[in-house]
Amino acid sequence: MGLNAEYSTEAPDRREIDALRDATVLEFGTGWCGFCRGAQPLIAEAFAAFPQVRHLKIEDGPGRPLGRSFRVKLWPTLVFLRDGVEVARIVRPGSAAEIAEALQVLGAAPAGD
């Protein structure tokens, strides 16, 4: 579990995502996207307190069906899933607190609580 550093070019199938159990965050973006690079410190700061949450960092773009299935339009987009069901979404996060709040919506408790 925990934070992934690089966007994966190998995306799971949507059925695999829907079947996931527990708390998962899908992060859609690309390594060359300025907004994505700018958001990385905020995402890392928020996830530091929630190491038990699964983080899947998926490269998105034309011809990438997983991002289309979640109707991703802007990067980065964070989709917060509990047992495969979307419970929150943040597009172009502006603060670590905003991300941490969505992580708590998942039912995740900060480490050490």
Side-chain angles (χ1 to χ4, degrees), residues 14-38:
R14 177 62 191 255
R15 290 174 299 211
E16 293 175 69
I17 297 298
D18 292 343
L20 291 174
R21 295 293 158 240
D22 300 321
T24 302
V25 177
L26 301 178
E27 177 186 342
F28 292 98
T30 69
W32 54 261
C33 166
F35 290 105
C36 300
R37 288 193 312 263

Side-chain angles (χ1 to χ4, degrees), residues 11-113:
D13 184 86
R14 177 62 191 255
R15 290 174 299 211
E16 293 175 69
I17 297 298
D18 292 343
L20 291 174
R21 295 293 158 240
D22 300 321
T24 302
V25 177
L26 301 178
E27 177 186 342
F28 292 98
T30 69
W32 54 261
C33 166
F35 290 105
C36 300
R37 288 193 312 263
Q40 294 313 299
L42 306 176
I43 294 167
E45 181 181 338
F47 267 85
F50 297 89
Q52 75 281 19
V53 175
R54 181 185 297 115
H55 177 244
L56 300 177
K57 195 168 181 171
I58 309 293
E59 185 173 290
D60 192 38
R64 306 273 181 162
L66 187 60
R68 303 300 64 76
S69 75
F70 280 98
R71 296 187 176 101
V72 172
K73 303 244 188 262
L74 297 171
W75 302 323
T77 294
L78 303 174
V79 179
F80 297 78
L81 305 169
R82 166 58 73 191
D83 295 332
V85 176
E86 183 174 340
V87 297
R89 177 181 294 233
I90 299 174
V91 178
R92 294 190 175 164
S95 71
E98 176 185 25
I99 300 165
E101 193 173 301
L103 286 163
Q104 289 177 331
V105 168
L106 286 175
D113 278 3

